[in-house]
Amino acid sequence: MKAIFIRVVLLGAMILVGGCASSPSDASPFGETQIQHDERMGWWREARFGLFIHWGLYAEHGNELNGHRGGRYSEWLIQGVPNEEYEKLVDRFNPTEFDADAIVRLAKQAGMKYIVITTKHHEGFSMWNSESNPYNVMVTPWQRDAMKEMAEACRRHDMRLGWYYSVLDWHHLDYLPRREIDRRSVEDADYNRYVEFMKAQLTELLTNYGDIAVVWFDGDWEKGPEQHRSREIVDLIHTLQPKAIINNRIGLPMDYDTPEQRIPEDDIPPRDWETCMTINSSWGYNQFAKDWKPSGELIRHLADIASKGGNFLLNIGPDGKGCVTPQDAERLRAIGKWMAVNGEAIHGTRATVFRSSASTPWGRCTVKKLADNRTRLYLHVFDWPKDGKLFVPELGNLPDRAFLLAVPASALEATTEGGGVVIHVPQAQPDPANSVVALDFDGPLVSYHEPQFNAPSSEMIAPMDVALSAPCDQLEIRYTLDGSAPSVTSRLYSSPTRLSETITVKARSFYQGRAVSTVVASTYSRVVPRPAEEVKALIPGLEYHYVEKAFKTIAEMEDCLASDAPRTTGEVANFDLELRKRDENFGVIFNGLIRVPKDGVYRFALTCDDGAQLWVGDKLVADGDGLHGSKTFSGTVALSKGLQPIRLLYFNGSGGKFLEIKWALIPRRPAPVKSQALKSRATP
Ligand code: FHN
């Protein structure tokens, strides 16, 4: 599905499930209303561009220590070095050239609106005067609190500041697992003590340095959110700094997602997101780096990201003296030069109005709402048209003004051609990286889109309303219920249609009597709810079978349980992983009954790391099979009131483990299954 499509789905879903600005927002990790959540996220969504700084002990050696060369990421240098040897870096770290003001000025001049800096990376070294960790910057010859200097400089230059904090810690004795090269005993390690240490460190960082705009976690892949006690940690942050925005790398969805070194291909992701990216291939300073991305490429990445509604967090790795490398500085300055002319096409913009980036093969589009209901489209032209004609498809009306941001005084001519608009541009390309053409619409902007279906479910046991919408008010939606393609004489959509039988709805957008979209179709089925089970003897809880082996799929685990492999069998109150005897390479099947309160279509949401499948009767309702991080899979099933058989299959390979089942009668929001709802049949 395409860009606009997703926005409409979200809007439609909100209307249909009865969501509104004053009810809790699905996107908020803190139970805020939509308005409160939008307010907290406001500056971040406007910012679009930030600076990431990876700076720690590793900067001192730029990826080589005593003849040992690190891998791609210089900040991982510790990987191949025994602890005792790595710790000696402390005696050498003396970045006398570090100038926080200069770095903040550079970011500002590049058009960046926030900075996220590493307070502690995986090496475990604290870059601030940490009371809870003696292994910190104050014991180096330098003896300066780098984070304090950054916080003060940011305040001076009106720049928002965020803390990067690695949950993974290869130095702390209580953090497990150890690296292969690390032979320190694990016997006394206590992960809960490590969590207390993290809480103490975060408390320092969030009380001693003024307003902190972002907490950017990293390195959560070795443990799950239960072990990190992630909920407790994020609640602590929210208490200390209620306005702080928190990224997703603590095993919980949180405020925004963080694709790393990549930009989502085409769809606009449904949640807030930020791409973080290096300028060469290392995050920390790497003296051997050769593969520096050209500034033009970075400028185009920025436009690409903004056109999909995301933020760009571009990284630099200052060296052991504390200096920004000339290569990083040169690129930030080049971006700054471009931003000085074109920054308004990035800051405060929203995602494209076109269906996808394929609609604008010459580049990308961002959008801004101006005063008096006016709209400005920014066309980011990467490939300048040789014939001087920039074709903008899917546009139904001419702009009131068109001009190059670089030459705002000269108007460009716009004509209607080939189902879109042509902007007549000068022969010479104004900017080799990205030339921005602005189109102003004083009245409504007409952009062509397929209609979108909005319904609580594709199944119903009673009559159900289906709504249709398109992001552009000027379009008419016409639809049919007899399987034919909608024409200009078909029913005009004005309000939700009540469906009572299985039917396929077909719809199409029209503008001024002309079809301007393809036909879209959606089938809604009237189903009979699954009858309840008649069970006489019940006991609370679920029966389980637990087995230990490395599985990659649910089928492998089922085969294993079908054989005479050793297993443990018993009863448990809920879908609970506490029954396991180890953290990795195990599987479990839960069987039982769930008490359904009333007839209806139910949505189940299964969140798992690694694979899991949820069955109700013989229907596979949510399929999260395979090895993966924590992900949510959902599905619906029509059920009669009473007891229904439920079966959950789960396995964990290596790394984090997580399992959670939520359910609700549609259109309510799924909530965790309570143990009172779960029963087993009594054994005869
Ligand atoms: O391992 C780290 C890496 O060093 C760097 O900090 C990046 C930044 O997103 N995060 C981790 C890998 O996902």
Side-chain angles (χ1 to χ4, degrees):
M1 275 300 141
K2 306 295 186 236
I4 286 299
F5 177 73
I6 288 166
R7 263 199 300 266
V8 177
V9 174
L10 291 174
L11 179 70
M14 225 174 86
I15 294 164
L16 280 156
V17 299
C20 70
S22 59
S23 55
S25 151
D26 276 343
S28 168
F30 300 113
E32 296 154 306
T33 62
Q34 193 61 46
I35 290 177
Q36 289 166 333
H37 182 63
D38 289 346
E39 255 170 32
R40 193 163 56 83
M41 295 299 292
W43 72 263
W44 186 92
R45 290 176 182 155
E46 297 276 301
R48 290 283 171 253
F49 194 23
L51 178 69
F52 209 0
I53 306 177
H54 273 69
W55 196 48
L57 274 189
Y58 44 83
E60 174 64 20
H61 282 268
N63 217 18
E64 187 177 71
L65 183 62
N66 303 339
H68 168 77
R69 257 298 175 105
R72 184 154 59 113
Y73 292 165
S74 76
E75 70 283 3
W76 281 54
L77 183 65
I78 186 177
Q79 265 285 328
V81 182
N83 258 56
E84 322 73 72
E85 207 179 313
Y86 193 82
E87 278 176 3
K88 288 188 190 135
L89 281 179
V90 166
D91 302 329
R92 286 180 239 159
F93 190 70
N94 195 10
T96 47
E97 311 281 303
F98 179 72
D99 180 348
D101 283 287
I103 294 181
V104 179
R105 272 198 304 269
L106 185 62
K108 207 163 178 165
Q109 183 257 331
M112 292 159 156
K113 298 285 186 186
Y114 60 109
I115 294 179
V116 177
I117 185 164
T118 48
T119 60
K120 180 193 83 160
H121 203 267
H122 311 338
E123 64 178 2
F125 183 74
S126 301
M127 290 294 282
W128 76 100
N129 185 4
S130 174
E131 274 171 40
S132 31
N133 187 12
Y135 189 51
N136 77 48
V137 71
M138 301 311 276
V139 300
T140 66
W142 195 47
Q143 291 185 5
R144 275 163 54 183
D145 183 335
M147 298 302 114
K148 183 160 180 266
E149 294 186 19
M150 279 305 293
E152 286 170 357
C154 283
R155 238 184 323 278
R156 276 194 289 276
H157 299 284
D158 196 21
M159 173 69 78
R160 293 186 196 255
L161 178 63
W163 296 141
Y164 166 109
Y165 187 87
S166 174
V167 174
L168 192 158
D169 190 319
W170 286 323
H171 182 264
H172 201 286
L173 275 167
D174 285 319
Y175 182 86
L176 291 178
R178 301 240 192 282
R179 295 163 300 134
E180 246 177 67
I181 202 169
D182 187 351
R183 295 282 163 219
R184 294 176 301 171
S185 160
V186 295
E187 233 166 66
D188 295 325
D190 176 347
Y191 205 79
N192 274 322
R193 202 158 53 202
Y194 176 67
V195 173
E196 291 305 326
F197 164 78
M198 286 201 288
K199 284 169 65 183
Q201 288 221 301
L202 288 162
T203 304
E204 294 171 14
L205 286 167
L206 297 170
T207 40
N208 300 339
Y209 298 90
D211 285 349
I212 297 303
V214 173
V215 178
W216 212 102
F217 284 110
D218 199 8
D220 63 337
W221 59 83
E222 292 190 327
K223 295 259 189 294
E226 305 150 45
Q227 286 142 314
H228 297 317
R229 296 181 11 219
S230 304
R231 193 64 242 176
E232 201 179 312
I233 291 183
V234 299
D235 285 344
L236 170 74
I237 296 171
H238 195 59
T239 311
L240 296 172
Q241 299 255 358
K243 288 195 189 143
I245 293 172
I246 307 174
N247 79 339
N248 63 336
R249 297 196 185 176
I250 180 128
L252 300 174
M254 298 314 296
D255 291 317
Y256 66 98
D257 295 337
T258 50
E260 179 169 321
Q261 304 281 40
R262 69 180 177 83
I263 301 170
E265 276 293 303
D266 203 2
D267 293 351
I268 295 180
R271 287 172 32 84
D272 285 304
W273 63 280
E274 171 192 76
T275 282
C276 54
M277 194 180 277
T278 51
I279 294 187
N280 55 60
S281 54
S282 173
W283 300 91
Y285 168 63
N286 179 0
Q287 59 174 311
F288 309 106
K290 291 201 177 65
D291 46 357
W292 300 90
K293 294 181 183 94
S295 43
E297 184 179 324
L298 298 170
I299 289 167
R300 285 190 290 272
H301 283 333
L302 176 60
D304 188 14
I305 290 167
S307 79
K308 293 167 186 163
N311 280 14
F312 191 23
L313 190 64
L314 182 62
N315 182 74
I316 59 168
D319 65 16
K321 286 277 151 246
C323 296
V324 176
T325 64
Q327 294 90 339
D328 279 341
E330 183 194 324
R331 279 152 186 82
L332 292 197
R333 283 198 200 99
I335 297 172
K337 211 167 147 208
W338 183 86
M339 287 292 277
V341 175
N342 301 290
E344 67 155 283
I346 300 292
H347 296 141
T349 58
R350 296 288 168 258
T352 181
V353 291
F354 299 112
R355 275 177 238 178
S356 77
S357 40
S359 304
T360 53
W362 35 256
R364 296 290 181 267
C365 166
T366 54
V367 186
K368 198 175 272 177
K369 279 263 165 244
L370 305 178
D372 307 324
N373 228 2
R374 289 177 305 125
T375 307
R376 182 170 287 178
L377 294 194
Y378 299 100
L379 310 179
H380 297 252
V381 189
F382 305 162
D383 297 317
W384 198 247
K386 291 192 178 59
D387 61 358
K389 290 166 102 185
L390 182 70
F391 179 61
V392 193
E394 302 167 21
L395 264 192
N397 54 343
L398 285 172
D400 295 285
R401 257 174 317 285
F403 56 94
L404 275 160
L405 279 191
V407 201
S410 328
L412 301 174
E413 192 195 347
T415 53
T416 308
E417 255 174 68
V421 165
V422 168
I423 312 295
H424 299 266
V425 295
Q427 213 70 39
Q429 181 175 13
D431 189 307
N434 175 5
S435 313
V436 181
V437 175
L439 305 185
D440 278 359
F441 296 84
D442 291 344
L445 161 75
V446 181
S447 56
Y448 301 150
H449 291 274
E450 284 112 10
Q452 176 56 48
F453 295 98
N454 306 310
S457 156
S458 59
E459 289 180 335
M460 58 189 150
I461 65 163
M464 178 177 80
D465 285 346
V466 172
L468 287 161
S469 60
C472 173
D473 295 342
Q474 274 60 42
L475 300 184
E476 280 180 348
I477 299 175
R478 292 185 180 271
Y479 68 101
T480 61
L481 299 173
D482 61 3
S484 64
S487 70
V488 73
T489 55
S490 302
R491 280 189 225 198
L492 179 67
Y493 177 81
S494 59
S495 59
T497 306
R498 178 142 298 191
L499 304 180
S500 47
E501 293 308 326
T502 297
I503 208 157
T504 297
V505 183
K506 290 193 172 173
R508 191 173 206 182
S509 302
F510 289 80
Y511 182 60
Q512 296 180 337
R514 194 166 53 87
V516 292
S517 81
T518 54
V519 176
V520 286
S522 187
T523 299
Y524 299 93
S525 308
R526 177 89 186 227
V527 291
V528 178
R530 187 183 188 286
E533 299 278 303
E534 296 227 353
V535 185
K536 293 210 175 72
L538 284 174
I539 51 170
L542 300 163
E543 169 206 69
Y544 75 84
H545 300 279
Y546 167 83
V547 64
E548 291 184 343
K549 196 174 170 193
F551 302 114
K552 289 199 197 68
T553 61
I554 293 288
E556 283 178 15
M557 178 177 69
E558 282 188 297
D559 287 349
C560 175
L561 277 162
S563 73
D564 51 10
R567 90 251 348 249
T568 314
T569 297
E571 267 105 42
V572 67
N574 208 326
F575 303 103
D576 196 338
L577 296 183
E578 286 306 308
L579 59 86
R580 75 192 189 280
K581 298 190 177 59
R582 63 184 189 193
D583 283 344
E584 300 193 330
N585 300 327
F586 70 91
V588 57
I589 297 185
F590 300 92
N591 281 312
L593 298 153
I594 187 161
R595 192 177 290 285
V596 173
K598 63 192 263 197
D599 290 5
V601 180
Y602 285 78
R603 179 175 303 284
F604 284 81
L606 159 69
T607 306
C608 53
D609 171 2
D610 288 298
Q613 284 184 340
L614 178 71
W615 294 75
V616 178
D618 55 5
K619 182 166 181 183
L620 175 57
V621 179
D623 189 359
D625 199 0
L627 291 170
H628 52 74
S630 185
K631 275 193 193 163
T632 300
F633 305 84
S634 55
T636 60
V637 57
L639 300 171
S640 301
K641 176 179 173 178
L643 291 162
Q644 297 282 352
I646 189 162
R647 180 173 166 81
L648 176 74
L649 306 97
Y650 167 86
F651 69 88
N652 187 40
S654 58
K657 51 165 187 24
F658 187 73
L659 179 64
E660 184 181 61
I661 317 293
K662 292 182 173 179
W663 73 319
L665 177 64
I666 281 174
R668 291 203 195 111
R669 206 170 270 134
V673 172
K674 296 212 173 98
S675 58
Q676 298 92 297
L678 298 170
K679 302 279 177 261
S680 294
R681 280 164 225 268
T683 34

